[in-house]
Amino acid sequence: MENEEVVARGVWLYQNEIPHEAELIKQTWNYTSKDLSELDEILEIPFCDYIDYLISDEGVLYHWKFSGPSGSSVSPSFSTYFQARDHINTYGYKHEISW
């Protein structure tokens, strides 16, 4: 990973009731979606844990980090900011996120 930054943060309510701190993380990696087929050949291990196949053409991934009363969790990865932004509504529509 080359860079990681928080691009949005705030409070999200799981099931519209349980407050969690939420951060949308943008990661920039040293490979892109264009490199995936070559990486598969070189590494010879398809679908490695350390290669995220959802990476964008620009080498960017997004994911949410949540922390609340039951602990911490991380969302799946997303190729675009808009996919990640829409995902926040998956388990609850109430949130106060600073975009």
Side-chain angles (χ1 to χ4, degrees):
M1 180 175 32
E2 294 179 337
N3 188 39
E4 181 174 271
E5 65 180 299
V6 176
V7 294
R9 75 167 31 109
V11 175
W12 169 74
L13 300 172
Y14 176 68
Q15 296 181 339
N16 298 323
E17 295 178 7
I18 305 165
H20 286 71
E21 294 294 320
E23 292 182 330
L24 179 57
I25 309 298
K26 176 184 178 183
Q27 295 178 328
T28 306
W29 290 82
N30 61 352
Y31 68 98
T32 70
S33 62
K34 299 169 195 168
D35 301 320
L36 293 175
S37 60
E38 187 175 336
L39 287 172
D40 275 344
E41 289 177 21
I42 294 170
L43 299 173
E44 297 181 9
I45 306 170
F47 302 103
C48 300
D49 288 345
Y50 49 89
I51 300 295
D52 195 319
Y53 289 83
L54 296 175
I55 198 157
S56 72
D57 291 347
E58 295 81 30
V60 173
L61 286 168
Y62 294 87
H63 68 270
W64 286 97
K65 286 185 180 179
F66 301 101
S67 60
S70 59
S72 299
S73 63
V74 177
S75 74
S77 298
F78 304 94
S79 299
T80 69
Y81 171 84
F82 297 106
Q83 289 172 335
R85 185 174 166 167
D86 289 346
H87 183 76
I88 195 75
N89 295 321
T90 302
Y91 302 109
Y93 291 100
K94 293 183 180 179
H95 54 75
E96 294 180 21
I97 305 289
S98 298
W99 305 100

